[in-house]
Amino acid sequence: MLIDRTEVIVSSPGRNFVTLKITTDDGVVGWGDATLNGRELAVASYLRDHVAPLLPGRDAHRIEDTWQYLYRGGYWRRGPVAMAAIASVDTALWDIKAKVAGLPLYQLLGGASRERCLVYGHASGQELPELFDSIREHLELGFRAIRVQTGVPGFASVYGVASSAASGGAGRYDYEPARRSARPAEETWDTRAYLRHVPSVFEAVRGEFGPDLALLHDAHHRLTPIQAAKLGRSLEPYDLFWLEDVTPAENQQALRLVRQHTTTPLAIGEVFNTVWDYQTLISEQLIDYVRSPITHGGGITGVRRILDYAAMYQVKSGMHGPTDVSPVGLAAAAHLGLAIHNFGIQEYMLHSEQTTAVFGLPVEFTEGGIRPLEEPGLGMHVDENLAAKYEYEPAYLPTNRLLDGTVHDW
C-alpha cells in the first residue's frame, strides 16, 4: 500500500490549526496534527515544500523507516518545526495502519492498560472568588484534577488567567493566552510578587475544596533554579500533583538544585521535541512527568520512544494538550495514553464549538478521564469543506517583560 498524495490544511475554526491528510493509492486516509502555536505557517511551509514531496510512492506501512528517513535524512535535526512536521506524518501513517487493520489505534500499540486516561482541566481567576467559581465549574463538568492559575496583585494580565482584565475577556481565543494580532502582546512580570502570592492561593484552594482534589500549577519557565526550589518548597504543604515548568530546562543540570530542595513533583518538557532533550532529566530522575505532546514530539513513534525511556526510571507521561493541540493530536494522545504502562495524566481542554464542528470529538470524557473512540484508526472525521471556510488569522502568544523592561522567560 503506497502513499498516493498529501494535503496540508491550514484553517482557523476558533484558532489556527495545521492538519496533514495522507491518502494511499487504495483510498485510505490518515490524519496528523502539525499545529505549532504562533508559528503555524512555518510548519505548513516545511510540510508542503520539503516533506510532502518526499512521500508519494513510499510504503505507507513502513512507519519507522519513514520516521528515520525524515529525521535522519533531513540532516538538520530536531527543533519544533521539523518535529511537528514529522509528527503529523507519523500520526497519519499510524491512523492508516490501524484503519487497514480494522482496529482502534491503541490496539496496535499493545492494547489498553487502563479503562480511561485521567485528565486535568484549567481553572483560573484574577482573584480568589473568580478562581473558586472556575474550579467549581470544572468539578461540575466531572474533572478530578485541576490546574490552578491566578492573577498576581498589581498586574492586570497574567499568563494562564483566561479572564485577565487587560484583555477584558476579549482578544484571547479558546481560553488560551494567544491573541489574534499582528504582533505579540507584551505582559509585565515580577517574580518576587508571584512567589509571595502563589502559596496563599493554594492555601485558600485547599481550605475551600479539601485535600482530595488533585491540584497542578504551571510556573511557565519564569523562575531561576533557586526561585523554583523556593516555590516548590513553599507549596509542599498543599500536596500538588505537580509543579510544571519551574525553570527553563534547556539547562538540565539546573533541575538538580531544584530537586535538592523540594519534594513537590516536577513536570517538564512541553517545549521539548525528542528523547535526547530529556537524557539528564530522566536518567537522574530530576523530574516526575514528561510533557512533550505527540504533535510536537515526533508523533506516536517519537513520544513512545521518550516514554519507554522514561519508564525505566519510573517517570510518567503528562502530555501537553491544551486547545493549541488539535482534536487530531488529542486523539493520538488518548490512544497512546491508554496503551502505555507509565501513563500519568493528560492535559485536556474543551475545544470551541467551531473546532469541534470541523474535527468532531474523538474522545469520550467520563469519570474524570478520556478514552478514544472504538473506531478503526484515530476515530477522526474531519469536515474539510467546513475547515476551508475558516481562513488563517495571525495570532501570537504574549511576550514577557520585567518591571524594568527586560525581556523575560515565559
Side-chain angles (χ1 to χ4, degrees), residues 30-237:
W31 297 99
D33 179 23
T35 305
L36 188 62
N37 196 353
R39 297 294 186 269
E40 298 90 354
L41 298 185
V43 186
S45 174
Y46 190 86
L47 273 171
R48 287 194 185 108
D49 299 330
H50 302 291
V51 175
L54 308 179
L55 298 178
R58 294 188 62 84
D59 186 342
H61 282 307
R62 296 182 62 175
I63 297 175
E64 177 68 22
D65 182 68
T66 297
W67 195 96
Q68 298 293 350
Y69 175 73
L70 296 176
Y71 179 82
R72 298 181 187 279
Y75 186 71
W76 309 108
R77 301 178 184 179
R78 303 163 69 179
V81 172
M83 296 309 293
I86 292 173
S88 66
V89 175
D90 183 81
T91 302
L93 294 181
W94 276 108
D95 190 19
I96 289 170
K97 184 180 284 288
K99 285 177 177 175
V100 172
L103 294 170
L105 175 56
Y106 74 84
Q107 295 287 14
L108 273 64
L109 302 175
S113 291
R114 57 197 48 82
E115 294 303 313
R116 64 190 60 82
C117 299
L118 176 68
V119 298
Y120 69 91
H122 291 196
S124 65
Q126 190 69 12
E127 297 180 352
L128 285 178
E130 186 181 30
L131 173 61
F132 286 3
D133 287 345
S134 182
I135 293 173
R136 290 188 187 99
E137 290 172 5
H138 281 79
L139 292 175
E140 290 171 3
L141 289 171
F143 284 94
R144 297 179 177 177
I146 298 175
R147 191 186 81 167
V148 172
Q149 304 296 130
T150 181
V152 176
F155 293 89
S157 182
V158 175
Y159 155 77
V161 181
S163 58
S164 290
S167 63
R172 301 188 179 210
Y173 65 131
D174 263 17
Y175 321 110
E176 279 294 288
R179 293 177 175 87
R180 295 187 183 279
S181 60
R183 294 185 179 181
E186 294 189 0
E187 296 184 344
T188 304
W189 183 252
D190 181 353
T191 301
R192 293 185 70 237
Y194 165 77
L195 291 175
R196 288 194 302 268
H197 182 61
V198 168
S200 68
V201 171
F202 279 89
E203 180 181 22
V205 171
R206 278 289 179 227
E208 180 71 17
F209 296 98
D212 295 331
L213 179 61
L215 299 177
L216 304 86
H217 180 68
D218 186 358
H220 222 269
H221 311 111
R222 286 171 160 159
L223 309 179
T224 64
I226 197 65
Q227 291 168 343
K230 180 179 180 179
L231 178 62
R233 177 174 288 182
S234 69
L235 292 176
E236 285 177 10

Side-chain angles (χ1 to χ4, degrees), residues 203-321:
E203 180 181 22
V205 171
R206 278 289 179 227
E208 180 71 17
F209 296 98
D212 295 331
L213 179 61
L215 299 177
L216 304 86
H217 180 68
D218 186 358
H220 222 269
H221 311 111
R222 286 171 160 159
L223 309 179
T224 64
I226 197 65
Q227 291 168 343
K230 180 179 180 179
L231 178 62
R233 177 174 288 182
S234 69
L235 292 176
E236 285 177 10
Y238 312 113
D239 188 27
L240 268 63
F241 185 97
W242 80 31
L243 179 59
E244 178 184 345
D245 286 342
V246 286
T247 192
E250 294 91 336
N251 176 13
Q252 297 190 18
Q253 292 81 1
L255 271 295
R256 293 174 183 156
L257 186 151
V258 180
R259 200 60 137 176
Q260 289 169 6
H261 291 282
T262 182
T263 58
T264 297
L266 302 174
I268 291 286
E270 70 180 57
V271 297
F272 286 177
N273 312 118
T274 70
V275 68
W276 293 280
D277 297 322
Y278 286 100
Q279 278 183 301
T280 300
L281 295 176
I282 291 176
S283 65
E284 296 190 17
Q285 295 178 275
L286 302 178
I287 60 174
D288 302 280
Y289 299 90
V290 297
R291 295 278 291 133
S292 293
I294 286 172
T295 299
H296 305 147
I300 292 166
T301 299
V303 174
R304 181 67 182 263
R305 193 166 283 129
I306 295 170
L307 295 177
D308 283 346
Y309 177 52
M312 296 171 58
Y313 299 92
Q314 296 178 294
V315 175
K316 295 184 178 182
S317 74
M319 285 180 273
H320 178 72

